[in-house]
Amino acid sequence: MTQFSFSLAARSGKARTGTISTPRGQIRTPAFMPVGTAATVKGMMPESVAETGADILLGNTYHLMLRPGAERIDRLGGLHHFMNWEKPILTDSGGFQVMSLAGLRKLTEDGVTFKSHIDGSRHELTPERSMEIQRLLGSDIVMAFDECPALPAPKERIAASMQLSMRWAARSREAFGDRPGHALFGIQQGGLEPDLREESAKALTDIGFEGYAIGGLAVGEGQEAMFGCLDTAPDMLPEDKPRYLMGVGKPDDIVGAVKRGVDMMDCVLPSRSGRTGQAWTRRGQVNLKNARHQDDPRPLEEGCSCPACRNYSRAYLHHVFRSNEMISGMLLTWHNLHYYQLLMSEMRAAIADDTFAAFEEKFHATRALGDI
Ligand code: PRF
Ligand code: ZN
């Protein structure tokens, strides 16, 4: 059986391209993971998600433990079978979602207790329970249980939270055990403080993980501050392991992160904005809600091979959005995920050719032209 492994094929500056191999298939890096929170990428059939070029999806411990329940998914054959996605799945560990979604929360050394945002019922998550849930789901890449403090926060608060996350990382490693073909990723924390990021990276590498995530960013600090942190944070993590920037981002965030040595990312943006009439193209963001599209027979993006652009006009996409038709979110989500995956494949090719700087220049020049 294929074990979990990562091999780097090429670099261009700090940008890297390679392949993660798992028993469920290969993940080409840099990789973008569409978000399938509730065992579905909203508005897309899984085969369509695969057609956009996605090699891996992200699922959520928090949502699935509350509904339909991890034990139930296990009895029904695991998350891959349940949602009809046989390629790799990475699951987030739950702590971040508890902090952003749950009602009434209590954080202790042991873990976090909280009230469900769905029905108000009480639940507990600890590193051990998070590892158990992610095992029941059948996740291929399991994330360590961590805490992500809201920024800005005083440095002492960020330091204490990071140190708690590092103790939880050690408990996650212990509870995960030995599971050939499955990987456990540690999560670096430490806010925007380089010395705390260093301390966190050292704690994680001492424990030892199959991959390393950069957590605690894209929480409202802005792109400049995030890039400032990413100028050094990826270099603190082992070179021979995948680096995953959690919850990022817009297309220009993704290009900037890859430039700084990030290999994997996930974000709800392409799917969520598809449901609110927002499209992402080479020329930047397009709002299909805008009346300027109502008589426009042209496709959303000239030259795009996705079904929304091949078969429909801007006028139609505008009409179905205005009419609240389900196909609106379906078509725009498809286009957005297609564009994100195209962006990733172009970056992989540019890194392989060692022309990433030229790619980046063209990426920004095309966006500067604006829509139309
Ligand atoms: N930790 C976890 N999940 C996350 C984050 C984190 O810090 C972020 C931060 N952008 C998104 N998702 N476990
Ligand atoms: Zn398209």
Side-chain angles (χ1 to χ4, degrees):
M1 190 172 81
T2 318
Q3 301 302 322
F4 184 92
S5 66
F6 178 52
S7 89
L8 273 172
R11 281 168 215 269
S12 186
K14 282 193 189 180
R16 303 132 53 97
T17 185
T19 307
I20 298 171
S21 298
T22 83
R24 288 191 175 271
Q26 299 203 321
I27 303 155
R28 297 162 290 175
T29 68
F32 179 77
M33 302 183 280
V35 176
T37 287
T40 167
V41 176
K42 295 185 201 305
M44 296 280 285
M45 299 290 283
E47 45 272 44
S48 310
V49 177
E51 254 181 74
T52 68
D55 293 333
I56 176 170
L57 291 187
L58 177 138
N60 279 114
T61 293
Y62 172 79
H63 297 80
L64 296 172
M65 73 184 279
L66 297 179
R67 187 171 63 193
E71 277 75 10
R72 176 170 289 124
I73 290 179
D74 178 41
R75 286 194 302 273
L76 292 165
L79 183 57
H80 296 81
H81 180 73
F82 187 56
M83 69 180 291
N84 188 31
W85 174 268
E86 294 301 336
K87 295 196 208 203
I89 296 176
L90 176 149
T91 47
D92 201 357
S93 47
F96 181 76
Q97 287 74 31
V98 167
M99 289 304 167
S100 50
L101 297 170
L104 214 60
R105 312 168 286 257
K106 192 164 145 255
L107 188 79
T108 67
E109 181 66 31
D110 195 41
V112 54
T113 53
F114 60 94
K115 277 192 161 175
S116 158
H117 72 287
I118 298 165
D119 63 4
S121 54
R122 288 211 68 82
H123 298 266
E124 183 177 26
L125 263 178
T126 60
E128 292 75 20
R129 179 60 182 153
S130 178
M131 294 308 107
E132 183 178 28
I133 292 170
Q134 294 181 79
R135 180 181 57 74
L136 290 165
L137 296 175
S139 171
D140 304 283
I141 303 182
V142 169
M143 298 307 298
F145 190 66
D146 66 332
E147 199 226 344
C148 172
L151 296 183
K155 187 167 177 180
E156 312 81 70
R157 161 90 187 83
I158 295 171
S161 162
M162 179 274 287
Q163 286 149 2
L164 175 64
S165 286
M166 297 307 103
R167 293 190 296 277
W168 285 357
R171 282 168 57 192
S172 296
R173 178 83 267 181
E174 174 71 23
F176 179 87
D178 183 27
R179 300 183 56 212
H182 297 262
L184 178 63
F185 281 22
I187 306 177
Q188 183 200 44
Q189 292 289 347
L192 298 172
E193 314 285 345
D195 58 328
L196 298 183
R197 288 274 164 190
E198 279 284 8
E199 185 183 331
S200 180
K202 170 135 197 353
L204 295 175
T205 32
D206 284 350
I207 298 165
F209 291 92
E210 287 74 46
Y212 294 84
I214 301 169
L217 294 179
V219 290
E221 73 279 12
Q223 190 187 73
E224 199 182 323
M226 180 173 84
F227 283 174
C229 180
L230 291 177
D231 282 336
T232 58
D235 305 320
M236 301 170 190
L237 301 169
E239 265 203 271
D240 60 344
K241 295 282 160 34
R243 301 163 177 164
Y244 161 32
L245 177 59
M246 306 190 80
V248 171
K250 294 190 171 75
D252 54 326
D253 297 328
I254 290 181
V255 171
V258 168
K259 177 188 183 171
R260 290 166 174 82
V262 166
D263 305 307
M264 305 165 70
M265 276 150 289
D266 75 280
C267 192
V268 295
L269 197 67
S271 39
R272 180 172 292 165
S273 54
R275 302 194 300 278
T276 59
Q278 304 290 320
W280 296 91
T281 73
R282 293 182 189 282
R283 303 266 189 125
Q285 207 175 347
V286 179
N287 183 355
L288 270 314
K289 187 174 169 182
N290 196 300
R292 74 184 169 93
H293 304 295
Q294 66 187 352
D295 292 304
D296 195 335
R298 296 172 312 152
L300 164 58
E301 179 156 35
E302 210 66 64
C304 177
S305 63
C306 89
C309 296
R310 265 192 286 118
N311 305 324
Y312 302 93
S313 61
R314 287 184 175 217
Y316 182 78
L317 296 172
H318 169 79
H319 160 70
V320 289
F321 177 75
R322 283 296 183 98
S323 311
N324 270 320
E325 290 294 341
M326 284 169 58
I327 199 172
S328 170
M330 293 163 62
L331 289 173
L332 292 185
T333 299
W334 197 321
H335 169 83
N336 287 342
L337 290 178
H338 178 99
Y339 171 65
Y340 266 62
Q341 294 299 343
L342 187 68
L343 185 62
M344 303 317 290
S345 75
E346 288 177 351
M347 285 194 285
R348 291 191 295 263
I351 299 165
D353 291 350
D354 197 9
T355 55
F356 191 81
F359 161 85
E360 193 195 8
E361 198 174 313
K362 187 166 167 223
F363 169 82
H364 288 295
T366 308
R367 289 165 68 86
L369 298 171
D371 184 39
I372 309 262

